[in-house]
Amino acid sequence: MSRAPSPAVRADVLATSALSGRKRLRDALLTLVGLALLALLIAFIDAEGTTRFKQACALFAIWGVAAISLNLINGTTGILSLGHHGFMLVGGYTTALLTLPEIRRQQIAESARSQMNDFTLGLSLNNGLRALGLEALTTPETLWIRFLIALFIGGLVAALFGLLVGIPSLRLRGDYLAIVTFGFGEIIRLLASTSLLGPFTNGSLGYTGVPAQIGRSLWWTFGFLALTVFVMTKFKTSSYGRALQGIREDEIAAEAMGVNLAYHKVLAFALSAFFAGVAGGLYTSWLSGARLDYFLFTLTFFFLVAISVGGTGSYTGVLLGTALVVFVRQYGDPLEQVYPLTTWFAAAGVLVLLAAAGALVLRSRRRLRPRVPPLVLVVGAVGLAALLFALVAPSFGLLQGSFQAFGMRAILLALLLLTIMIFRPEGIMGRAEFSWAWLLREHRDRPSDEERAQDAWLTNPELNPDRTAALRNLREPDPQAERRDDQKGAR
Amino acid sequence: MIGGLLALIIGRVAYLIVGTGNYTLAFFVGALLSALQLGSLYALIALGYTMVYGIIRLINFAHGEVFMVGAFTSFFLFANTPYSLPWALFAAALAAAGLMYAVNLWRGKLQDPVVLGAGALGFVGFTLALSAASLNWIAAMLLAMLITGVVGITLDRVAYRPLRGAPRISLLITAIAMSFFLQNFGLLAFTRNQTPYRPATSWTQFLQFPLAGNTVFTSRMVILIPLVTLVLVVALTLFVNRTRLGKAMRASAQDPEVAQMMGINVNRVIATTFFLGSTLAAAAGVLWGLNFGSLNQPAIFGLLPGLKAFAAAVIGGIGSLPGAVIGGLLLGFLENFVPAMFAGTTEFKDTFAFFLLIVILLIRPSGIIGEDLSEKV
């Protein structure tokens, strides 16, 4: 099933080609100013923000790294991968183990000893970890170096797993591949809970004590986010990135154009897994511990929501979506508290009424068939009835008691994802990226001043006497007209 | 490779029986019976996956959650009698609307308030009758199957039908969204009522019989589960092979567009498919509860069984009914026999399904008896 490239993609291509030197300079300056403003904002939040808000921002940066890395597979390459929590788990545990003091690591291995024989214990990687020489870096001044090295190694180990998962992607497509990546993620999680890996993971109990000064610091986390965005945007416009986009649009055509499918797909998986591993390391540092239930499928679901809502393939959109998900998650507590039943009924009634009213307005203003189906009225009546019932019930002694809606946040996110998928499958941003030209309302698919001047020269008979010849060279043959001629001939 | 694996397994069995003498015939018969139990449950769930995939080429990620809804609905039906009035009214309205929708669907244009009224009255009468006595579990099972079937139709109507022409990836993402919605909705709706699943039935009692000098320990569920599965599978096969709607289903699975041109209402066929699949999943949920004696927390209850059943459907050959049954049984045997034969593999039990899935997909992507589904250019 092939799709024509969206107008956004074409506009993007034109935008890069029609960039004059002056505008390039202006964009670079604007970018610098923007980055400086962002740095000021981060400094302000770091100094003035509440702990809760700072935590939300750090989580945004960490999940942003993960969501952007997932976007490389799901958005740019067009492969649905659902095993990202597995990569994060690998990177997270590796980083956590490498930053833990050796004594603590020894304790974890000891607590697993009861289930293990000496042979398995002898295989323990503790000696190998010691050989890395990271134990020298334990003072607070040098710990960050150790953390960076650990993050890098964690990313590399996750990338190895990415290679492993990428290999089935060469033979499988679509839904099968999605389920296999999911299976890999779950296998990693289930294996980590077994006693085989007990010395490293401490079973499903996990452990605490991972140094948190990088994971919770806004500068570090936003630094990693900036690094990821930089690498990924560069990658997207490189020849590799364009090959991946070609794979997304049409695999068979891309292969016919000389794209090595196997190499590029596995490369996408490995790079994505690397950044997912880094995000996992940051995540364990942020939570100052590693536990199996930090890495449930829920994580991948959240990233999927972020990507789909923001725009599949657009890094700006992914960051928007991540911000939405993180803030719903962090500030959604009021949704899950205990309220009287009447409040719930009234809220449900109001929501249903609002939905019905929205449908009424949208349906009656439609250009084609502006007709209100009776179902909308029925739904509205049900909402009104619920609202009235909630108002009247207490005086009859009904609806007494209260109710706590566990899981309301996830329900909201799921409904949001559903709505986006039905009404705007490409997400808020589509495949468009943020650009200064867009912000300044410049349309780059229109001719620039330079091109206009050229056209004027070409069409000016005094300056250019042979203009018909020049124009003939300029003007491309109209494919529509040709097709029309063909059809006439066929008839 | 397969020959080597078979040699390994047969050699291991021979060694265990002859060499160590630890593994008696009775032990193997017991493992066989429990494998049959678990495999039948997987097969029942896998049928829903395979039917839906056969027609709209969608992995219904939310099917495991439909199974959860079925189990919890039946639990709610027999554990919560007598119902309080608001609940009875709410359930009656819901069931009546669902009934009207279902009748509407099968009989063409029937916007009939009479059906709505009859459904509401019937359900109110039913709930009142139930308030007098505790509900028989078979009635609970049938009613739960009906309600879950309507849930399945609603799922299709709300989440999948608006996306009929969309790329399959968006459908899959929608299915994941619905799965999450149902998980958390189950948490919200059922979690306060979570108690052990023990209806008044003698089927859950223990059963033991002597065999070759030893005793086989099992429960009476070992008769019930395969029996119910057999009945349901035979009924489903008869439905698909003998009725007009079944014929329409097979035609739609062949080619939905041509079926539409031949005058088949494909949307109705798909809704029927969802209804039947959800009904079977609900039956599996009830049997699961009876077998294990309790229901897990809703957020994780449907996840692993659903995924394993999906793996079973793919292993057997997705899109084919006997394939789903074979795959389910195979998975049940694997999960019971590998831990019994190879010491220390018990904690890897849950990963077998995925490993087998990956191996099967790499060796024979169309499954054991499936047709070739390779993508056309």
Side-chain angles (χ1 to χ4, degrees), chain A residues 94-310:
Chain A
T94 312
T95 312
L97 276 176
L98 287 173
T99 40
L100 272 186
E102 195 185 350
I103 302 167
R104 191 78 187 81
R105 233 167 33 221
Q106 207 60 48
Q107 285 169 357
I108 295 166
E110 289 295 325
S111 77
R113 185 187 269 279
S114 56
Q115 303 169 11
M116 316 208 28
N117 52 31
D118 287 336
F119 173 70
T120 347
L121 260 186
L123 285 179
S124 140
L125 277 183
N126 265 335
N127 300 326
L129 295 184
R130 201 183 298 131
L132 281 171
L134 290 177
E135 299 304 331
L137 308 166
T138 42
T139 59
E141 290 80 31
T142 54
L143 197 63
W144 64 272
I145 304 176
R146 179 175 178 168
F147 193 84
L148 287 189
I149 298 172
L151 267 184
F152 187 69
I153 296 175
L156 284 185
V157 177
L160 265 180
F161 276 79
L163 285 179
L164 204 67
V165 181
I167 289 165
S169 75
L170 307 178
R171 284 205 57 178
L172 305 173
R173 298 218 174 118
D175 335 340
Y176 286 109
L177 187 55
I179 213 82
V180 164
T181 50
F182 181 87
F184 261 110
E186 288 299 295
I187 285 176
I188 290 172
R189 208 167 58 78
L190 291 168
L191 284 185
S193 69
T194 58
S195 64
L196 181 72
L197 292 170
F200 312 118
T201 61
N202 201 14
S204 51
L205 297 172
Y207 46 84
T208 54
V210 179
Q213 60 263 57
I214 288 187
R216 293 224 182 107
S217 139
L218 284 186
W219 289 110
W220 277 107
T221 44
F222 274 88
F224 278 106
L225 182 64
L227 183 74
T228 314
V229 170
F230 179 75
V231 172
M232 287 294 183
T233 43
K234 284 288 165 202
F235 188 78
K236 187 181 174 186
T237 48
S238 72
S239 65
Y240 294 106
R242 274 175 283 146
L244 293 184
Q245 291 182 44
I247 292 174
R248 171 187 69 196
E249 296 298 335
D250 192 330
E251 219 167 78
I252 294 156
E255 194 171 21
M257 297 303 287
V259 173
N260 185 345
L261 284 187
Y263 176 72
H264 281 91
K265 279 184 178 176
V266 172
L267 179 76
F269 264 101
L271 190 67
S272 171
F274 177 83
F275 280 102
V278 170
L282 289 171
Y283 197 48
T284 44
S285 169
W286 185 63
L287 295 161
S288 74
R291 232 168 62 191
L292 283 188
D293 54 346
Y294 295 159
F295 298 101
L296 297 179
F297 177 67
T298 325
L299 269 186
T300 304
F301 173 71
F302 282 148
F303 304 147
L304 205 61
V305 175
I307 290 175
S308 311
V309 169

Side-chain angles (χ1 to χ4, degrees), chain B residues 178-347:
Chain B
M178 279 326 281
S179 148
F180 250 77
F181 173 79
L182 284 177
Q183 277 177 19
N184 289 284
F185 187 77
L187 201 63
L188 196 144
F190 298 123
T191 194
R192 291 188 308 166
N193 302 317
Q194 188 184 350
T195 42
Y197 194 101
R198 293 202 182 93
T201 167
S202 59
W203 282 105
T204 50
Q205 282 170 9
F206 284 110
L207 183 71
Q208 56 192 60
F209 55 89
L211 187 78
N214 293 79
T215 319
V216 179
F217 292 97
T218 170
S219 81
R220 292 191 195 176
M221 291 305 289
V222 85
I223 304 164
L224 182 72
I225 291 178
L227 195 71
V228 172
T229 307
L230 189 70
V231 168
L232 287 176
V233 169
V234 167
L236 182 71
T237 316
L238 285 180
F239 178 83
V240 171
N241 288 336
R242 297 286 168 85
T243 62
R244 280 176 68 89
L245 210 49
K247 205 175 185 177
M249 248 158 129
R250 282 180 287 147
S252 308
Q254 285 274 323
D255 192 329
E257 283 168 13
V258 175
Q260 186 100 48
M261 280 180 224
M262 295 292 140
I264 293 171
N265 185 346
V266 175
N267 277 335
R268 192 199 299 178
V269 170
I270 294 171
T272 314
T273 311
F274 270 92
F275 180 82
L276 292 177
S278 311
T279 308
L280 296 177
V286 174
L287 294 174
W288 189 284
L290 284 174
N291 191 22
F292 295 104
S294 70
L295 299 183
N296 227 329
Q297 181 208 355
I300 54 170
F301 182 63
L303 199 66
L304 263 187
L307 283 166
K308 285 180 187 169
F310 169 73
V314 176
I315 288 164
I318 197 153
S320 100
L321 297 185
V325 177
I326 290 173
L329 290 177
L330 184 67
L331 215 57
F333 281 99
L334 196 72
E335 279 195 14
N336 270 284
F337 275 93
V338 175
M341 286 185 338
F342 300 95
T345 50
T346 316
E347 49 188 7

Side-chain angles (χ1 to χ4, degrees), chain A residues 80 171 173 175-176 178-180 182 187 190-191 194-195 301 403 407-408 410-411 414 417-418 421-422, chain B residues 53 57 59 158 163 168 170 172 174 177 180-181 184 188 307 310 318 347-348 350-351 354 358 361-362 375:
Chain A
L80 188 60
R171 284 205 57 178
R173 298 218 174 118
D175 335 340
Y176 286 109
I179 213 82
V180 164
F182 181 87
I187 285 176
L190 291 168
L191 284 185
T194 58
S195 64
F301 173 71
F403 183 66
M408 205 57 176
I411 288 182
L417 183 55
L418 182 70
M421 274 295 142
I422 291 176
Chain B
Y53 193 90
R57 300 278 181 268
I59 293 172
V158 171
L163 287 164
R168 275 158 66 188
S170 356
L172 200 60
T174 315
F180 250 77
F181 173 79
N184 289 284
L188 196 144
L307 283 166
F310 169 73
I318 197 153
E347 49 188 7
F348 301 98
D350 290 336
T351 59
F354 298 120
I358 291 166
L361 280 177
L362 290 178
E375 202 159 316

